[in-house]
Amino acid sequence: DGVPVVRKDVMFSLLGSEPFRIGNTKCRVVIETVDSGWKFKYTLFVEDKPLSSYVKDSGKKTRTWLPMVQGKTRRVVLEIDDIGVYVDGQGVQTTGEFLESDDEDTVENVIGSAHNFLIDDTVTCRIKVYSSGNKFEGLKYDLYIQEKLIATARPQDIASTT
């Protein structure tokens, strides 16, 4: 978001590792030379993993969307294990409900759940959680904003806005 997290005056030591925190998340930037010249390689580690690995691993525990809401890109994150919902890093209050099938032949009427919340106190949002129907795929997670389906963010999009 353009706000410096760590800033130090450097006299001679251009190389090495610099630890810092973003909230409770442990981070580290490593600066190395490339081709023994004046070219440098910067690597960002989050929770002791390269950023790309961290994003990939966190994608197994969360679902992330980057919708435009009132002219601004927002980050909506669903934590899968506890169904926590975060908008731009802040937890939001949700109300849950069961989704029922319209199919009268279905033995079990409940086919999933919906978690409703607001962005900016006025924009209605809903995350639907339901079975994919394929045991290898597991559950599906869809975000709707003002009844419009929002595509899940791609890993490269998530990393570029981190």
Side-chain angles (χ1 to χ4, degrees):
D1 60 3
V3 177
V5 177
V6 174
R7 183 174 298 230
K8 290 187 177 185
D9 291 329
V10 179
M11 287 295 291
F12 297 101
S13 179
L14 295 175
L15 305 177
S17 176
E18 183 65 41
F20 61 96
R21 290 191 165 286
I22 299 177
N24 292 328
T25 305
K26 187 171 64 170
C27 303
R28 176 171 49 102
V29 64
V30 176
I31 306 166
E32 305 168 293
T33 59
V34 178
D35 298 330
S36 68
W38 284 100
K39 294 182 182 179
F40 298 96
K41 174 183 169 186
Y42 299 85
T43 307
L44 177 62
F45 290 85
V46 180
E47 298 293 348
D48 294 322
K49 298 176 186 174
L51 179 61
S52 58
S53 296
Y54 177 79
V55 169
K56 182 178 177 182
D57 290 347
S58 67
K60 296 174 186 173
K61 301 174 192 169
T62 62
R63 291 297 178 271
T64 303
W65 297 269
L66 300 170
M68 287 293 283
V69 177
Q70 297 177 340
K72 182 178 175 188
T73 300
R74 308 304 288 270
R75 177 187 296 264
V76 178
V77 177
L78 169 70
E79 286 187 342
I80 293 172
D81 55 350
D82 67 358
I83 308 295
V85 176
Y86 299 83
V87 176
D88 297 332
Q90 301 296 314
V92 296
Q93 185 72 32
T94 63
T95 56
E97 64 183 277
F98 292 110
L99 298 175
E100 295 182 359
S101 173
D102 294 335
D103 185 359
E104 294 176 7
D105 296 330
T106 305
V107 176
E108 293 183 22
N109 248 4
V110 176
I111 59 168
S113 60
H115 306 275
N116 305 300
F117 60 99
L118 295 173
I119 294 179
D120 297 334
D121 296 324
T122 59
V123 180
T124 58
C125 305
R126 168 181 271 207
I127 295 177
K128 290 183 179 179
V129 181
Y130 58 95
S131 172
S132 66
N134 180 332
K135 67 180 180 179
F136 298 108
E137 287 183 37
L139 296 175
K140 291 206 171 246
Y141 307 88
D142 290 336
L143 171 65
Y144 292 84
I145 296 181
Q146 307 284 62
E147 303 297 325
K148 180 182 174 198
L149 179 62
I150 306 298
T152 304
R154 301 174 306 169
Q156 61 266 33
D157 295 335
I158 296 168
S160 69
T161 62
T162 301

